[in-house]
Amino acid sequence: MFKSFSHIYIEETVADHFRTKEILSKFPNAIQIPIRHYKDSFNRNSQNFRIQKQSPKLVLAEKKEHFLYPGSDFSPNFSHKHFYYNTLALNCIYDCEYCYLQGMFPSANLVLFVNWEDFFTETKKFLDNHGSLYLALSYDTDLLALESFFPATKSWIQFASTEPNLTLEIRTKSTNFQSISHLTPNPNIILAWTISPQIVIDTIEHGTPSLQARIKTIQKTIEAGWKVRVCIDPVLRIPDWKIHYLSLAELLGKELNPKGITELSVGGFRMNLDFLKQITDKRKDSSILFHPFEKKDKIVSYSKEETEEILHVIIPSFEKHFDPSQINLSYP
């Protein structure tokens, strides 16, 4: 699922942290490099994101501030008043061409913050002050995909069991449900899978599990009693996109139990304009990024006409298998 990290940068303040030692034990052959602060490595100038992505390094660090961030306008809040996310990790082990992280971060290396207890403390404070919180854990990473050496998902599920007013969304493309399958399902936790046609997985979502593997994992999760959200997001206007997404709808309707799906979220391509400019400089070979997008208020997306066509095709195809009340639209 991931390449073994050849080098691991370690902030001096967390060198003796028990979680640092646990992570290092997973990579006994990695060269360990002490650093003062993760940004000294992560934010340095003249890094090549694409080259680094071929062999990313690991950075272990301490998060010292900003434990909660207001949710982005690019992401659906599912009607929750207090929609926030946190950053337990920066960057992802996968390599999806449409991922905004390529334009957000100067480095492709993976930063892991080991001081989870501070995140828990700040989350408790927020709940005490505001009463409720919808928290997206896997926002700037794919947290469940890291579970074998960074078991944050398990710890947050356990933490949520003590906080009835906390709702967690854990979004992933991984098939790593078995790493948390022993835990008791919590109705306030939503496990959300991003699903794409196999042609998109093969050509755009590099390194991610196959469509059949994801569907199989989702079904296991449903059978285990967890709340599951399926995210068809982003819908991409690739060649013959109508054929591929209609086929996807048929496949999901055939292989998943619709009653086990809490929600089916459908979203279009949208991104911050500055991020897109950064990404297109790095990925000149990605045809999906050079589409003549519509630009509005620093957001790029498909045009109104293209979006309406997508919805006209996608929504009826999924309504054949899922109740319309289950379908949530996430469009700019």
Side-chain angles (χ1 to χ4, degrees):
M1 184 173 59
F2 62 90
K3 295 180 180 179
S4 184
F5 301 101
S6 63
H7 295 70
I8 300 179
Y9 296 86
I10 309 163
E11 276 190 354
E12 295 171 351
T13 57
V14 300
D16 294 324
H17 196 289
F18 76 92
R19 201 163 282 123
T20 297
K21 294 178 179 179
E22 289 176 353
I23 295 169
L24 292 176
S25 70
K26 304 289 185 179
F27 306 101
N29 297 323
I31 298 173
Q32 300 177 21
I33 304 171
I35 55 174
R36 183 191 64 84
H37 194 280
Y38 81 91
K39 290 183 179 180
D40 296 341
S41 169
F42 193 70
N43 289 2
R44 59 186 171 82
N45 296 327
S46 303
Q47 298 184 83
N48 188 310
F49 195 99
R50 296 308 311 149
I51 291 177
Q52 286 182 338
K53 196 66 179 179
Q54 296 173 21
S55 180
K57 309 301 184 285
L58 195 59
V59 184
L60 305 183
E62 178 186 9
K63 184 76 168 174
K64 296 180 180 178
E65 59 184 358
H66 303 307
F67 294 94
L68 293 171
Y69 296 91
S72 166
D73 292 337
F74 296 106
S75 297
N77 62 15
F78 301 102
S79 301
H80 287 268
K81 181 180 180 181
H82 302 301
F83 167 48
Y84 282 72
Y85 72 98
N86 63 18
T87 53
L88 298 162
L90 306 179
N91 270 326
C92 181
I93 63 170
Y94 300 135
D95 187 22
C96 301
E97 293 182 14
Y98 56 75
C99 182
Y100 69 92
L101 298 179
Q102 304 166 97
M104 184 176 181
F105 296 139
S107 173
N109 292 333
L110 179 64
V111 178
L112 305 180
F113 295 111
V114 301
N115 55 315
W116 304 344
E117 290 72 19
D118 293 328
F119 285 87
F120 295 149
T121 297
E122 292 302 312
T123 302
K124 280 178 173 286
K125 288 181 181 178
F126 187 98
L127 288 166
D128 289 342
N129 292 330
H130 297 89
S132 65
L133 173 62
Y134 181 94
L135 182 61
L137 289 187
S138 202
Y139 209 79
D140 290 340
T141 189
D142 190 318
L143 205 61
L144 190 59
L146 310 178
E147 194 71 6
S148 63
F149 60 95
F150 190 65
T153 301
K154 178 180 71 174
S155 290
W156 274 86
I157 290 174
Q158 293 169 334
F159 170 71
S161 69
T162 67
E163 300 292 339
N165 295 321
L166 173 63
T167 299
L168 293 182
E169 183 203 69
I170 303 166
R171 190 159 171 176
T172 187
K173 293 185 176 95
S174 82
T175 55
N176 206 17
F177 171 67
Q178 71 275 5
S179 65
I180 59 170
S181 61
H182 62 287
L183 300 175
T184 302
N186 183 331
N188 286 348
I189 294 175
I190 302 166
L191 299 177
W193 267 269
T194 298
I195 293 291
S196 301
Q198 187 60 48
I199 186 67
V200 171
I201 294 170
D202 289 339
T203 61
I204 297 171
E205 295 180 355
H206 307 292
T208 64
S210 70
L211 174 58
Q212 283 291 349
R214 293 187 215 181
I215 291 175
K216 185 177 179 180
T217 300
I218 291 171
Q219 189 57 36
K220 287 182 179 178
T221 308
I222 293 171
E223 292 170 356
W226 292 84
K227 294 180 74 171
V228 171
R229 176 179 291 137
V230 173
C231 306
I232 318 299
D233 186 0
V235 175
L236 299 172
R237 293 179 67 94
I238 59 173
D240 298 321
W241 66 270
K242 294 180 184 179
I243 295 173
H244 294 299
Y245 282 96
L246 287 173
S247 175
L248 177 63
E250 291 297 316
L251 185 64
L252 294 181
K254 176 183 177 182
E255 300 203 11
L256 292 180
N257 178 4
K259 294 181 180 179
I261 303 297
T262 301
E263 196 162 40
L264 192 146
S265 176
V266 179
F269 181 93
R270 67 273 190 202
M271 188 179 292
N272 176 284
L273 176 60
D274 293 334
F275 288 176
L276 182 63
K277 288 179 179 178
Q278 292 284 335
I279 297 170
T280 52
D281 284 342
K282 300 169 183 174
R283 302 201 85 130
K284 298 185 184 298
D285 59 339
S286 177
S287 60
I288 63 163
L289 299 175
F290 289 89
H291 186 89
F293 295 112
E294 186 176 86
K295 302 177 179 65
K296 182 180 180 180
D297 299 328
K298 299 289 283 184
I299 298 174
V300 296
S301 63
Y302 293 128
S303 69
K304 180 180 178 182
E305 293 74 20
E306 289 172 322
T307 297
E308 289 177 350
E309 184 182 23
I310 289 173
L311 296 177
H312 181 73
V313 171
I314 294 290
I315 300 307
S317 67
F318 281 102
E319 287 182 345
K320 292 179 181 178
H321 308 284
F322 300 89
D323 191 281
S325 64
Q326 292 176 283
I327 300 174
N328 183 290
L329 301 183
S330 306
Y331 275 81

